[in-house]
């Protein structure tokens, strides 16, 4: 199950984001994944709690955004959706295509918890007297 290695890499990436923004933890993690990424989302979801145990994102919700397979035809230049086992142009049916979406595995967003209180617009700011 290489999804555990992917989950561990995701935890390291999220931990770096938490550190960059001087946050205390993450509450939500959104990952964009395509069907050609070679990762099964359900297995990644089950491996994530193991990889995140004891870390600053251990209680974060993991959400997947499913990316469609899209190809650009090298013959007619059209961009169309394609099936996993049929990467042909949806307009001219040519097989000379380039994958432009559907093979990605990207950390799309992380919701963070910061310890720094932000002044409320209703709270008066202290003034020098």
């Amino acid at each position: 199950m290489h999804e555990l290695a992917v989950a561990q890499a995701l935890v390291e990436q999220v931990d770096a984001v938490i550190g960059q923004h001087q946050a205390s933890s993450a509450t939500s993690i959104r990952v964009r994944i395509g069907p050609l990424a070679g990762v099964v989302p359900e297995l990644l979801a089950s491996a994530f709690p193991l990889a995140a145990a004891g870390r600053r994102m251990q209680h974060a919700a993991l959400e997947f955004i499913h990316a469609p397979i899209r190809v650009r035809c090298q013959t007619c230049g059209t961009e169309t959706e394609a099936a996993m086992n049929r990467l042909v142009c949806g307009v001219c049916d040519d097989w000379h295509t380039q994958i432009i979406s559907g093979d990605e595995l990207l950390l799309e967003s992380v919701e963070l918890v910061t310890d720094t209180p932000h002044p409320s617009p209703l709270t008066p700011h202290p003034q020098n007297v």
Side-chain angles (χ1 to χ4, degrees):
M1 176 164 103
H2 78 284
E3 278 79 0
L4 181 57
V6 173
Q8 290 168 330
L10 178 62
V11 164
E12 293 302 320
Q13 204 174 13
V14 171
D15 197 50
V17 170
I18 292 171
Q20 267 182 325
H21 294 277
Q22 300 173 344
S24 60
S25 64
T27 58
S28 177
I29 301 165
R30 184 176 296 137
V31 175
R32 183 174 181 83
I33 186 167
L36 302 175
V39 175
V40 179
E42 295 80 13
L43 295 178
L44 180 56
S46 66
F48 180 77
L50 297 172
R55 304 292 293 267
R56 297 186 287 180
M57 73 293 302
Q58 72 178 350
H59 300 295
L62 184 61
E63 177 187 352
F64 295 108
I65 304 299
H66 298 281
I69 300 172
R70 293 194 53 81
V71 295
R72 178 179 299 118
C73 181
Q74 310 242 328
T75 303
C76 72
T78 306
E79 292 182 9
T80 60
E81 287 198 16
M84 193 161 152
N85 58 352
R86 188 164 155 72
L87 301 175
V88 298
C89 177
V91 174
C92 71
D93 231 15
D94 195 336
W95 59 272
H96 292 96
T97 59
Q98 176 184 12
I99 297 170
I100 57 174
S101 172
D103 61 346
E104 64 266 36
L105 176 61
L106 301 170
L107 175 59
E108 191 168 275
S109 68
V110 179
E111 289 185 23
L112 302 173
V113 175
T114 58
D115 293 329
T116 309
H118 297 295
S120 166
L122 302 176
T123 306
H125 296 285
Q127 296 180 4
N128 293 334
V129 189

